[in-house]
Amino acid sequence: MSWFEILRFALRGLAANKLRSFLTTLGILIGVGAVILLVAFGEGASQSIQQSIQRLGSNTLTISASFSGGGFGGGGGGGGGQAGGPRTQARQLTLEDARALADREQAPSVRSVSPVVTASSATAVHEGASHTISQLVGTYPSYFEATNKPVTSGAYFVNDDVLAARKVMVIGRTVAEELFGAADPVGRRVSVSGVPFTVVGVLKELGSSGMQDADDVAIVPLPAVQQSLTGFGALGSIIVQATGAGTTESAQAEVTAVLNQRHDITPTGTADYRILNQATLQETVSSTIGVFTALLGAVAAISLLVGGIGITNIMLVTVTERTREIGIRKAIGAPRSAILGQFLLEATVLSLVGGLSGVAIAFVGTRFTIAGIEPVIVPSSIALALGVSVGIGLFFGSYPANRAAKLRPIQALRHE
Amino acid sequence: MTTPVLSVQELSKVYGEGDAQVRALRGVSLTVERGDYVAIMGASGSGKSTLMNILGCLDVPSSGRYLIDGADVGALEERQLAVLRNRKIGFVFQSFNLIPRMSALANVELPMAYGGVGAAERRARALAALEQVGLSDRVRHEPNELSGGQQQRVAVARALVTAPSLLLADEPTGNLDTASTGDVLEILDRLSASGRTIVIITHEDDVAAHAKRVIRLVDGQIVEDRRQAPVDGPPPRMPEVPA
Ligand SMILES: Nc1ncnc2c1ncn2[C@@H]1O[C@H](COP(=O)(O)OP(=O)(O)O)[C@@H](O)[C@H]1O
Ligand SMILES: [Mg+2]
């Protein structure tokens, strides 16, 4: 008796109850498909977030003012500095801070320092076309390199532009399209809140990441935006680029030392600024997403398990229902192995067909972008989901099949 | 003298335990020679089916010895038993026991599939067996599309297609009308005439009249063993073959 023959019996057994076989297969299909799809979405989300972090440049530190901590503690009382350590009022970040950080002696691991002020929602107008730029950034030319923003047409502004406070601007793709459409914006004039700027360059398209459109920006020399829009107050942030990926940590230590000195922060006191390290951020985010993906996978795995229980249930019903048939087969000389093989194959075919269609569905499903996330199939999830589904079929199918194969013919024949 | 096709000695079968215990067979000894046609008769509950199931290796006796073609069945393993059921025994049940949703042809092919016969030969032999029982025009029909008599003829074809040493039939005509009964008995008569060994259970004298030897069971014991025709002759009710 060949295996091919037994397979034929198994297929015939399944065909005898098409609807039931189909529904059981569907259970496994959904389980396997869900595992692969959800893991693919988790992976896609993870990759897109990592990419947008990497776009910021991996060896940069972003310093911003922090107003949390006990800075306002001693305001009302008579004598200053009783509790919480000697702590003067929190200071803003200034251009002087930025200059101090650029000191080669004190901060040798720092490659460039870009002071940044940001005006949000500045309205730009060009020949009747109007667009509210979500981020208008005033900074130094080093900003382009530190934050990894190349231009596709035109050029960056240069240090001279900063010194002369020239009204020049580099705009993002969204701004260019909103104001100029298909025309080349380089050399054209744009008026921002009534102040005329000349466009010198257009940034390479970054694509949107999550909620924010990274291309809805305009970058101008620091004094130009201070003069016309924000005033010469505090800086919004300072972006420090380390000399290399390996020196980010030491750059952070140097920056901390310089700023602590300038802001009179004692080693035990609370700093009035924050340093955001891209590398650390990346690690945190990717581990968070890892947990998220694992959770999705776990939810999907449960549905796979439910599908497996469906197979077990169906095999139990099938075997019970066909006990008489098993008796007949044994009476005409079917060996135990043939009976066992037939039912095991039935279970395996169900789970394998379900599993493979689940993979196919998942492949189709991952061609769609949902909520801005492009799913990325993780090959190991396919192997795992298929393996588990076939394993479930074999494992749970073997119990009822074995029970049936062991019956004496007359016991099986008398079964009602 | 050749080895008998089957030989049982002091066979007993006890069902259940304690108060509910039933002694279905109480020391049955019986020898059947090759070519014989034996009818086992007895009232309902006398142990006929119990004996038949043991003879067909579908059940095991509580005690006693059973030899088929000289081989001790009690000493066989499960796998060898399957081969024995497949090659040496053809069993016909009162309730037909065809596999549903399988054509008559597939049902008749089934024992040969388990016996490892090749597909082409299997088909040819199954068709020949169906022809022998007069069902050449019903090979594609499934059991629920056949009358009781036709189903039983398919079952007979399935039992004899492997050319077994022994054809066992447990009240094969019990569920059939007179005409179908006649059909089946005629087939059995012809098989007997061609030398096949047959053991049949019945409680109808008309059916028993076809056998060469009649055994009567009462309460699990043989009380009568009567020969109606010689072992090597034709069965007594064999219709006259036109010369
Ligand atoms: N599986 C069983 N369990 C318990 N008792 C049984 C079983 N099969 C048969 N019997 C009992 O054994 C006796 C003989 O039964 P059976 O061989 O079927 O008789 P017959 O076929 O001659 O009518 C009966 O009393 C019956 O009740
Ligand atoms: Mg009976």
Side-chain angles (χ1 to χ4, degrees):
Chain A
M1 170 115 221
S2 70
W3 277 102
F4 174 71
E5 203 81 48
I6 296 176
L7 179 66
R8 254 191 39 201
F9 286 152
L11 291 180
R12 188 176 276 169
L14 292 176
N17 232 315
K18 291 192 186 65
L19 181 64
R20 184 193 287 175
S21 305
F22 169 74
L23 289 176
T24 314
T25 310
L26 196 63
I28 286 291
L29 181 155
I30 291 173
V32 169
V35 167
I36 298 174
L37 263 180
L38 290 186
V39 170
F41 272 105
E43 181 68 15
S46 157
Q47 286 193 6
S48 93
I49 292 175
Q50 299 232 4
Q51 269 169 13
S52 52
I53 293 174
Q54 259 160 21
R55 271 203 304 251
L56 297 174
S58 60
N59 50 354
T60 58
L61 305 171
T62 306
I63 304 151
S64 50
S66 152
F67 303 106
S68 60
F72 308 101
Q82 313 139 324
R87 168 86 197 261
T88 49
Q89 186 147 14
R91 290 184 205 167
Q92 304 272 25
L93 292 169
T94 61
L95 206 51
E96 280 67 45
D97 287 332
R99 291 208 178 99
L101 292 176
D103 186 342
R104 283 264 173 276
E105 301 273 297
Q106 289 192 67
S109 306
V110 171
R111 176 162 164 182
S112 74
V113 178
S114 319
V116 174
V117 294
T118 310
S120 54
S121 308
T123 305
V125 181
H126 170 76
E127 289 176 2
S130 154
H131 173 68
T132 305
I133 303 171
S134 68
Q135 255 200 321
L136 178 68
V137 175
T139 186
Y140 284 4
S142 55
Y143 177 84
F144 293 102
E145 195 199 330
T147 61
N148 209 358
K149 287 190 165 68
V151 294
T152 43
S153 70
Y156 307 112
F157 54 80
V158 293
N159 281 328
D160 273 350
D161 297 322
V162 175
L163 290 175
R166 286 199 190 105
K167 305 283 187 292
V168 290
M169 91 195 307
V170 176
I171 57 177
R173 172 62 54 194
T174 305
V175 179
E177 277 165 11
E178 291 290 335
L179 291 179
F180 302 96
D184 182 13
V186 176
R188 310 279 191 114
R189 289 188 153 253
V190 173
S191 117
V192 179
S193 303
V195 183
F197 282 85
T198 308
V199 177
V200 293
V202 179
L203 291 173
K204 186 170 166 239
E205 187 166 4
L206 292 170
S208 63
S209 59
M211 302 289 107
Q212 212 178 5
D213 182 1
D215 295 312
D216 194 6
V217 293
I219 301 165
V220 301
L222 180 69
V225 75
Q226 283 178 323
Q227 273 174 15
S228 52
L229 292 164
T230 62
F232 291 88
L235 296 177
S237 60
I238 301 173
I239 293 185
V240 170
Q241 187 183 19
T243 48
T247 55
T248 326
E249 294 300 317
S250 52
Q252 184 167 358
E254 291 158 15
V255 166
T256 308
V258 171
L259 288 181
N260 279 357
Q261 199 202 358
R262 291 186 51 81
H263 288 212
D264 299 327
I265 312 279
T266 58
T268 54
T270 319
D272 55 7
Y273 60 89
R274 252 181 332 188
I275 301 178
L276 192 72
N277 184 331
Q278 296 295 358
T280 338
L281 178 69
Q282 208 164 323
E283 267 168 41
T284 315
V285 169
S286 59
S287 78
T288 310
I289 290 181
V291 171
F292 174 68
T293 308
L295 251 168
L296 282 182
V299 170
I302 289 172
S303 73
L304 189 57
L305 190 68
V306 171
I309 294 171
I311 288 207
T312 318
N313 189 14
I314 287 303
M315 289 320 291
L316 272 171
V317 171
T318 304
V319 167
T320 312
E321 215 180 58
R322 282 157 63 190
T323 304
R324 225 180 127 79
E325 178 186 326
I326 293 168
I328 301 171
R329 285 176 187 270
K330 292 201 82 165
I332 59 174
R336 186 183 289 181
S337 61
I339 303 280
L340 188 64
Q342 174 178 344
F343 285 101
L344 275 189
L345 271 175
E346 283 191 20
T348 310
V349 167
L350 280 182
S351 54
L352 201 62
V353 169
L356 287 176
S357 347
V359 172
I361 297 275
F363 264 96
V364 173
T366 47
R367 302 184 69 105
F368 296 101
T369 306
I370 296 174
I373 297 170
E374 257 179 68
V376 177
I377 288 188
V378 183
S380 61
S381 76
I382 297 179
L384 192 79
L386 264 186
V388 167
S389 76
V390 173
I392 284 175
L394 280 177
F395 183 78
F396 289 119
S398 67
Y399 165 68
N402 205 21
R403 215 177 52 169
K406 271 202 187 128
L407 288 176
R408 229 181 284 152
I410 197 67
Q411 292 170 319
L413 279 169
R414 283 215 190 97
H415 184 94
E416 285 307 323
Chain B
M1 188 182 157
T2 56
T3 18
V5 173
L6 74 81
S7 155
V8 293
Q9 287 136 35
E10 285 304 312
L11 211 59
S12 77
K13 176 76 183 180
V14 181
Y15 290 112
E17 314 237 316
D19 283 349
Q21 208 175 55
V22 178
R23 296 184 63 194
L25 293 179
R26 313 166 184 238
V28 173
S29 298
L30 170 71
T31 302
V32 176
E33 299 297 333
R34 190 167 305 281
D36 210 348
Y37 185 176
V38 182
I40 298 178
M41 299 193 67
S44 178
S46 56
K48 307 183 297 289
S49 294
T50 303
L51 175 61
M52 198 60 134
N53 291 337
I54 293 170
L55 295 184
C57 299
L58 305 180
D59 206 352
V60 287
S62 303
S63 68
R65 244 159 82 86
Y66 175 25
L67 308 178
I68 289 188
D69 282 342
D72 189 347
V73 172
L76 296 182
E77 285 174 23
E78 164 77 25
R79 200 154 42 88
Q80 295 166 308
L81 268 179
V83 173
L84 187 76
R85 287 183 202 119
N86 188 248
R87 305 260 166 90
K88 301 241 165 151
I89 299 168
F91 208 109
V92 179
F93 300 87
Q94 178 174 357
S95 52
F96 321 139
N97 277 343
L98 297 177
I99 294 183
R101 288 185 289 271
M102 261 171 85
S103 69
L105 183 64
N107 263 290
V108 177
E109 280 189 22
L110 200 56
M112 291 183 287
Y114 288 122
V117 178
E121 188 192 341
R122 201 192 300 167
R123 170 133 317 184
R125 276 167 62 178
L127 286 172
L130 282 166
E131 161 132 51
Q132 239 184 314
V133 298
L135 283 177
S136 294
D137 52 343
R138 295 281 190 281
V139 292
R140 297 282 163 212
H141 290 235
E142 292 183 2
N144 58 3
E145 299 160 344
L146 295 170
S147 74
Q150 289 169 333
Q151 287 188 54
Q152 194 61 298
R153 276 142 73 190
V154 174
V156 172
R158 181 181 67 186
L160 59 84
V161 76
T162 50
S165 325
L166 189 57
L167 186 67
L168 303 175
D170 187 348
E171 303 204 32
T173 59
N175 286 353
L176 302 183
D177 58 35
T178 330
S180 303
T181 299
D183 288 345
V184 171
L185 288 177
E186 194 193 316
I187 294 167
L188 293 180
D189 277 346
R190 263 193 283 121
L191 288 171
S192 175
S194 66
R196 183 85 57 216
T197 312
I198 300 171
V199 178
I200 179 176
I201 288 180
T202 182
H203 56 252
E204 294 169 65
D205 291 326
D206 278 354
V207 175
H210 285 256
K212 299 176 187 171
R213 176 184 175 194
V214 178
I215 289 173
R216 194 170 295 275
L217 269 187
V218 172
D219 285 342
Q221 282 176 313
I222 296 180
V223 295
E224 189 192 341
D225 188 346
R226 177 165 51 89
R227 182 156 293 287
Q228 307 189 123
V231 174
D232 44 9
R237 289 282 185 88
M238 183 74 183
E240 294 309 314
V241 186

